[in-house]
Amino acid sequence: MTGGVTGGVEGQGGDLFVAADVHYLASGGARAAAVVSADAAFSRLIADRVELVPEVEPYQPGRFYLRELPPLHAALDGLTGPDGKMALLVVDGYADLDPDGRPGLGAHAHAEFGVPVIGVAKTAFRTATHAIPVLRGTSARPLYVTAAGMSRPGAAELVRQMAGRHRMPDALRRVDTLARHGRTA
C-alpha cells in the first residue's frame, strides 16, 4: 500500500506491516518471530525474523506483558523499510482485556512501539466482551479482534481482509510456526 488508508491504518511508501509472536521454550527462554509485509493485508510477505531470547521473566498473572515485551523487542527492534518504519503490529492475543480498556499485551505494545496494534485471539476471554468476532474462510469459530491506536471496527475489517483462505490469516499462521519451530519450519 502506498499512501492512503486501509482499515484506519495509514501507510506511506516503505512502511512495514508486521505480525509477531512469541513461543516460550522448555529451557526457560523464548523464541520471538516477526513476518513483514509492505501492505496491511499481508498479501505478500517480504521478510521474516526469528530471535532467541535465552532468559525471560516468569509468568505473572495480570502482568504477561512483562514477559512478552522483551522477546518482541528482540524480533522488532531495527525493523525498517527502505523509506519508512513499522506502521502496524499484529499480535496473538488481546489489545485490551475489557470494555473499560484494561490494557492487554496489545495496549502495552502500542505504548512501547508507538504504532497501532491489532490483537487477534483464537479464544474468547471472559471479560473481553467488547472484542469483535471475525469469521474467516469457512470456519464457524471466530477470531476475537481488539485494537490499540486504531478503531476496533477498522482492525476487524483488516483481519477480515488479511491474506489466506483459512480461519487464521496466512501471516499469523506463518509467524506462529516460526515462533514455535524457528527457521526449520
Side-chain angles (χ1 to χ4, degrees):
M1 176 172 91
T2 303
V5 176
T6 300
V9 176
E10 188 167 335
Q12 302 299 315
D15 281 353
L16 303 177
F17 299 86
V18 180
D21 201 2
V22 177
H23 177 73
Y24 295 95
L25 306 172
S27 65
R31 185 179 301 111
V35 296
V36 180
S37 178
D39 67 282
F42 289 82
S43 61
R44 188 175 66 84
L45 301 181
I46 59 174
D48 61 36
R49 178 185 278 180
V50 176
E51 297 290 339
L52 284 174
V53 179
E55 294 180 23
V56 294
E57 294 288 325
Y59 174 73
Q60 299 175 47
R63 298 173 62 90
F64 178 65
Y65 67 94
L66 293 175
R67 183 175 197 192
E68 193 92 349
L69 285 176
L72 286 176
H73 266 291
L76 300 176
D77 286 354
L79 276 182
T80 59
D83 302 317
K85 61 185 179 347
M86 186 166 48
L88 173 72
L89 175 60
V90 181
V91 297
D92 178 5
Y94 284 87
D96 46 15
L97 303 173
D98 62 33
D100 294 328
R102 182 167 51 118
L105 173 62
H108 290 286
H110 171 63
E112 190 82 9
F113 296 105
V115 298
V117 177
I118 298 174
V120 179
K122 295 179 279 299
T123 57
F125 186 63
R126 180 180 46 83
T127 61
T129 57
H130 64 297
I132 297 177
V134 172
L135 292 171
R136 289 180 38 93
T138 59
S139 179
R141 292 182 10 221
L143 298 170
Y144 299 91
V145 177
T146 54
M150 66 181 294
S151 74
R152 277 192 312 274
E157 188 56 30
L158 274 177
V159 172
R160 273 187 205 92
Q161 293 176 8
M162 286 176 76
R165 299 179 322 184
H166 303 286
R167 176 180 182 235
M168 287 298 291
D170 290 350
L172 298 181
R173 289 164 45 118
R174 178 65 181 153
V175 77
D176 176 76
T177 299
L178 287 170
R180 289 179 186 276
H181 306 289
R183 294 208 188 278
T184 60

